[in-house]
Amino acid sequence: MFRRNPQVPTIEALYGAIVAQARAPVFYRDYGVADTVNGRLDLLMLHLGLVFERLSHGDEAARAAGQAVFDRFCQDMDDHLRQDGVSDLKVPKDMHRLGAAFFGRQRAYISALKAGDRDALRAALRRNVFADENRPGLEALTAYVEAAAQALEGQETTAIASGRIDWPNSVTQAEGQA
């Protein structure tokens, strides 16, 4: 009952890698994503969704890591809601909405990527990340998401599950792969 879960440091490393990428200044400075709570949350859900999808196609340990990192995300969101003063009665409702938002976005992004439908991916990013506004960074973000999905597909799930993720690291790199 009081034993420490040996997987916790690994999940923290994986979640940290996802959060760090979602907070990369390039998204806000060059891609035009709003540097707001909603903008940061959408980028976090985008990156988490890409990693979650990749891990779901790995072995049992990779799938377990995917679930554990999603659980860590939920705990992080729960903590933030409570820190922001959301009542104990309202937190579960807000968490339900966050979960629905995550899975809806992930489904839209992944289905567009699997179909090779750049227009559908662009539309989903515009709707979710840019709040239905046509911003100059939409094309660059679309190219980045395609490059990130491709990069994740080329990595071993065991490496990803351990928190070692090789993301595309610049606008130029993402646009060059589009």
Side-chain angles (χ1 to χ4, degrees):
M1 181 166 134
F2 295 106
R3 282 190 227 162
R4 187 159 162 80
N5 181 346
Q7 191 182 21
V8 168
T10 303
I11 296 307
E12 288 299 320
L14 176 55
Y15 188 64
I18 294 167
V19 169
Q21 185 65 15
R23 290 184 179 168
V26 67
F27 296 116
Y28 309 98
R29 183 188 62 230
D30 299 339
Y31 288 44
V33 174
D35 192 6
T36 62
V37 171
N38 287 339
R40 291 187 300 268
L41 178 60
D42 267 308
L43 282 181
L44 176 57
M45 287 194 287
L46 169 65
H47 286 88
L48 179 64
L50 292 170
V51 171
F52 190 78
E53 173 66 15
R54 178 65 182 109
L55 291 174
S56 74
H57 296 286
D59 62 12
E60 187 176 329
R63 290 190 303 275
Q67 182 60 54
V69 79
F70 178 75
D71 293 347
R72 177 63 183 89
F73 164 74
C74 290
Q75 184 60 56
D76 191 26
M77 295 302 103
D78 185 279
D79 292 346
H80 277 81
L81 289 170
R82 291 177 192 282
Q83 286 173 357
D84 290 345
V86 175
S87 74
D88 288 344
L89 295 175
K90 194 166 183 271
V91 168
K93 292 176 187 173
D94 287 354
M95 288 302 298
H96 180 73
R97 279 193 289 275
L98 270 170
F102 169 77
F103 284 111
R105 284 162 170 75
Q106 192 222 19
R107 186 173 37 257
Y109 301 145
I110 300 306
S111 64
L113 287 163
K114 284 183 176 181
D117 189 345
R118 188 167 229 232
D119 290 336
L121 179 60
R122 184 184 306 108
L125 291 168
R126 184 181 66 242
R127 181 176 57 252
N128 296 312
V129 178
F130 294 114
D132 269 331
E133 294 179 20
N134 283 320
R135 295 212 184 149
L138 179 58
E139 285 303 319
L141 184 61
T142 302
Y144 166 81
V145 172
E146 291 169 331
Q150 185 177 16
L152 287 167
E153 191 61 37
Q155 296 172 55
E156 292 294 324
T157 56
T158 53
I160 294 170
S162 73
R164 292 186 318 262
I165 304 173
D166 292 323
W167 300 101
N169 60 9
S170 71
V171 176
T172 307
Q173 181 179 353
E175 288 175 341
Q177 293 181 11

